Amino acid sequence: MQRLPIIFLAVLLLSVAILVRGFDEKEAMAKLMESAESCLGQVGAAQSDLQDLVKKQPASTYQGKCLRACVMKSFGLLDSSGKLDIEAGHEKAKQYTGDDPTKLKIALEIGDTCAAISVPEDHCEAAEAYGICFKSEATKHGLM
């Protein structure tokens, strides 16, 4: 099955779960796109911001960062203070890794590592910082 790293938020702990495979990629991408499309207007993001997200590229605009924060919030992964919701992330990881304890362990490790980083108070900037962390950690685990 093809690996599908998605933002990092993108979608952060959800994305970590996606990175470790063992899920329905089409369903995950459909949920991500539905959320992102809904968030576009809310944050004033452009289609190019959405394309950055889909292509797993860093956000090129502030609105792109806000798009990522909005998507993360829609999945319950970013709380009202702009921090990762570890409990929600663990639930998403369990949902997307199925019954594979090895995949779950990797997803939880990446999520816990990134939840511990210091991020800006600005939710948009925080979402981008988490995304960078997830991408870096996924690379360390050989997932990218």
Side-chain angles (χ1 to χ4, degrees):
M1 181 177 283
Q2 182 183 30
R3 290 182 204 147
L4 182 66
I6 298 178
I7 0 178
F8 289 125
L9 3 190
V11 150
L12 284 263
L13 293 178
L14 172 64
S15 296
V16 171
I18 291 171
L19 282 170
V20 295
R21 298 183 261 167
F23 67 102
D24 183 335
E25 289 181 44
K26 289 181 183 178
E27 178 185 348
M29 183 55 91
K31 286 180 181 179
L32 172 68
M33 293 305 294
E34 180 181 328
S35 177
E37 289 287 343
S38 172
C39 287
L40 275 176
Q42 292 178 39
V43 300
Q47 285 295 320
S48 59
D49 296 312
L50 179 58
Q51 289 307 308
D52 286 343
L53 176 68
V54 171
K55 293 177 181 177
K56 303 166 221 76
Q57 299 297 315
S60 59
T61 67
Y62 182 74
Q63 290 79 11
K65 294 175 183 181
C66 293
L67 174 64
R68 294 159 194 245
C70 180
V71 171
M72 290 175 65
K73 288 177 182 180
S74 76
F75 281 100
L77 299 173
L78 198 64
D79 67 21
S80 62
S81 66
K83 305 294 183 214
L84 284 180
D85 183 329
I86 293 297
E87 192 172 308
H90 285 187
E91 289 304 312
K92 290 291 183 188
K94 289 175 188 173
Q95 176 184 356
Y96 285 97
T97 57
D99 294 327
D100 188 324
T102 302
K103 292 175 185 175
L104 178 60
K105 182 177 185 254
I106 292 170
L108 296 178
E109 283 177 14
I110 292 172
D112 290 346
T113 297
C114 292
I117 68 170
S118 178
V119 296
E121 287 186 29
D122 181 289
H123 295 198
C124 303
E125 296 293 345
E128 186 71 6
Y130 286 129
I132 291 167
C133 179
F134 274 99
K135 189 171 186 176
S136 171
E137 290 299 310
T139 299
K140 288 178 188 177
H141 285 276
L143 300 173
M144 293 189 72

